[in-house]
Amino acid sequence: MNSSMTPGLWELVLDGVWVTVQLLVLSAVLATAVAFAAGIARTHRLWIVRFLAGLYTEVFRGTSALIMMFWVFFVMPTAFGWQLVPLWAGTLALGLTYGAYGAEVVRGAIAAVPQAQRDAGIALSLTPWQRMRLVLLPQAVPEMIPPFSNLLVELLKGTALVSIMGMGDLAFSGNLIRLALQESTEIYTYVLVIYFVLAFLLTRVMRGLEKNLKVRTGRTVRTGSPETTADVKAGAAA
Amino acid sequence: MNWDWNAVAEFMPHFRDGLVVTLQALVLGSLLSFTLGLVWTLLMRTPTRWVRWPVGVFTEFVRNTPLLVQLFFLFYVLPEWGLTFSALTMGVIGLGLHYSTYTMQVYRAGIEGVPAGQWEAAKALNLPLRRTWTAVILPQAVRRVVPALGNYVISMLKDTPLLMTVTVLEMLGEARLFSQRAFEFTEPVTVIGLAFIVISYLASLLLRSLERRLV
């Protein structure tokens, strides 16, 4: 196939990749923070805290990421008068949506720590917060990594939604180039391959991280195929 | 914050049209993903790696790339190759194909979960391969995986708004069209947001009762 891509168009693709990566990193940070906050809140002893965290998870898991994005981009400015910079609006919508999926992962992993560990924490008269920080989380976090890794790939795929809002990410660059060249096979193939490579790199990094964290808690890594946990997205299975 | 109930009332007929299209896409997309997923799983079990390898790479690729870009690919590239379908058909193909790469893993887990004794019994009864699959393995495997498949239907529901980008007038498409005409953004987007929460909540209740019946 004769390539019609000029250096200028490749530059446009690179700009798109940069926006996608920025958005991915920012929303991953927000989603992780929200996931831990909501996931830990669901183990709180006050019912109202548990209820609010549960409400947040159900609402954000129940609705579509794209609708959240419409809400943040179009409804928030008119209804509340808050106009966010596109990058932050995208981060907010994606971070809150995927944070809700992550909260379920965090809750599940904490609940999976053996009861004896909790009892030991109580026997040592640790405060609830110390128990969480020193006993439960160090054991739960390595277990969260494989589902988080899958969620991260889902988040990467989710970042493409911002192109609908007119943000210049990789998918948006793809559309611009299609318009410029009047030819779509080549550019969309490149765009898909770039997303695939990014997803591949993400899974690699996460697998390294899992190994690292497990070694620190003195456990060995299962050498199973990573796909077996791929259904976090359909979180209700947990 | 100003909420206008009149705008909600005016939006309702459009909402109903959008809901019908959303549910159509969801049902057809689910059926396609259930069938294709099963095909992928069975292909992944063929003895020759010349089948397994391409299928594995293709499905891995589809699973790890955004559905949105895949929809653009279908919508803009297929006509270049001389294949034209209606927007809804294209959307259904996109949804079904994307989710088939998830359902294939569900089926795989279901098939691996069938006890080895069942395979041995089929062999002892001298059942041909086709009968072994259709009469022994699949009925047990599919039964086990219905809840997991249902979860993917709920995920797919939440991805149907993407079809808006390829000109399908599902709920979000109707909402956007209405907003642009009436200059009211708050009401339509909030209404369909709530509709999604309600539908996916009802679906999860339905699924839970189905799960109790089957498992």
Side-chain angles (χ1 to χ4, degrees):
Chain A
M1 188 161 67
N2 232 339
S3 179
S4 41
M5 294 286 287
T6 62
L9 292 179
W10 276 116
E11 211 169 290
L12 197 60
V13 171
L14 280 184
D15 289 345
V17 172
W18 174 231
V19 172
T20 296
V21 169
Q22 269 179 306
L23 191 63
L24 176 71
V25 170
L26 289 174
S27 44
V29 169
L30 177 63
T32 313
V34 169
F36 274 95
I40 291 173
R42 292 192 77 170
T43 65
H44 200 271
R45 67 203 144 75
L46 288 178
W47 73 268
I48 184 75
V49 179
R50 288 201 302 270
F51 173 78
L52 288 177
L55 186 70
Y56 156 73
T57 337
E58 287 310 315
V59 166
F60 280 79
R61 260 162 29 119
T63 197
S64 160
L66 185 56
I67 291 177
M68 272 316 296
M69 213 165 266
F70 260 78
W71 221 82
V72 173
F73 272 83
F74 297 128
V75 177
M76 250 172 49
T78 53
F80 303 108
W82 299 336
Q83 176 89 53
L84 293 178
V85 184
L87 184 64
W88 291 113
T91 303
L92 187 66
L94 288 171
L96 288 181
T97 309
Y98 287 88
Y101 288 105
E104 284 293 280
V105 173
V106 171
R107 186 186 62 89
I110 291 174
V113 175
Q115 182 61 32
Q117 297 286 335
R118 243 168 278 255
D119 297 342
I122 296 170
L124 290 171
S125 90
L126 300 179
T127 63
W129 176 238
Q130 282 176 322
R131 230 184 315 149
M132 182 58 73
R133 193 168 53 92
L134 300 173
V135 181
L136 298 180
L137 281 182
Q139 300 181 62
V141 169
E143 299 303 323
M144 296 174 199
I145 300 295
F148 270 168
S149 165
N150 290 315
L151 270 182
L152 208 53
V153 173
E154 295 297 330
L155 177 60
L156 170 67
K157 287 156 61 180
T159 57
L161 299 181
V162 297
S163 66
I164 302 172
M165 306 289 120
M167 244 184 95
D169 77 324
L170 180 53
F172 192 78
S173 301
N175 288 345
L176 285 185
I177 293 169
R178 171 178 59 79
L179 290 173
L181 295 179
Q182 292 299 319
E183 197 269 346
S184 33
T185 315
E186 193 187 349
I187 180 58
Y188 281 134
T189 308
Y190 289 142
V191 169
L192 286 172
V193 168
I194 294 172
Y195 274 114
F196 184 69
V197 170
L198 287 176
F200 180 77
L201 293 177
L202 279 180
T203 21
R204 277 297 134 118
V205 170
M206 291 300 274
R207 215 172 298 170
L209 186 65
E210 186 194 1
K211 217 174 263 180
N212 201 338
L213 285 172
K214 286 222 166 143
V215 167
R216 280 206 274 165
T217 48
R219 271 177 293 171
T220 48
V221 186
R222 278 176 296 114
T223 46
S225 64
E227 292 117 311
T228 44
T229 45
D231 55 358
V232 256
K233 189 169 162 199
Chain B
M1 170 118 196
N2 40 351
W3 181 265
D4 182 4
W5 282 107
N6 287 330
V8 176
E10 275 170 48
F11 177 58
M12 272 302 138
H14 303 281
F15 171 76
R16 235 164 288 143
D17 294 347
L19 182 63
V20 170
V21 176
T22 295
L23 293 179
Q24 256 175 351
L26 180 65
V27 170
L28 296 175
S30 305
L31 292 178
L32 183 61
S33 77
F34 294 165
T35 335
L36 264 184
L38 190 58
V39 171
W40 301 141
T41 318
L42 295 180
L43 285 180
M44 287 300 278
R45 297 184 70 94
T46 51
T48 146
R49 89 176 85 130
W50 298 108
V51 176
R52 282 202 313 262
W53 200 77
V55 172
V57 168
F58 175 72
T59 52
E60 195 71 15
F61 188 82
V62 172
R63 189 171 41 237
N64 285 303
T65 48
L67 175 59
L68 183 67
V69 183
Q70 290 166 9
L71 286 174
F72 288 151
F73 191 94
L74 288 174
F75 194 70
Y76 295 111
V77 174
L78 288 192
E80 277 180 14
W81 298 348
L83 295 162
T84 39
F85 301 104
S86 75
L88 183 62
T89 316
M90 213 73 101
V92 167
I93 294 175
L95 279 175
L97 181 64
H98 190 80
Y99 275 90
S100 71
T101 61
Y102 288 92
T103 55
M104 71 182 275
Q105 298 185 326
V106 174
Y107 284 123
R108 192 195 57 187
I111 290 169
E112 281 169 5
V114 176
Q118 299 289 328
W119 287 98
E120 289 158 8
K123 189 163 253 175
L125 290 170
N126 209 9
L127 290 184
L129 190 65
R130 175 180 279 275
R131 287 279 289 161
T132 307
W133 277 103
T134 55
V136 181
I137 305 302
L138 286 181
Q140 298 184 60
V142 170
R143 202 181 160 84
R144 260 163 233 262
V145 298
V146 166
L149 289 180
N151 283 327
Y152 282 115
V153 174
I154 299 179
S155 300
M156 191 191 287
L157 168 72
K158 289 178 273 180
D159 273 346
T160 54
L162 295 186
L163 300 192
M164 173 199 82
T165 56
V166 290
T167 71
V168 177
L169 278 180
E170 43 64 65
M171 283 204 272
L172 188 61
E174 290 279 2
R176 191 167 70 154
L177 204 63
F178 180 81
S179 318
Q180 283 162 354
R181 255 182 286 159
F183 295 105
E184 303 264 20
F185 267 103
T186 315
E187 292 82 5
V189 176
T190 309
V191 165
I192 57 165
L194 290 175
F196 270 97
I197 296 174
V198 170
I199 298 173
S200 50
Y201 183 68
L202 290 179
S204 70
L205 288 186
L206 189 75
L207 203 61
R208 222 170 293 164
S209 70
L210 199 65
E211 204 174 329
R212 266 198 298 272
R213 291 262 289 283
L214 283 173
V215 185

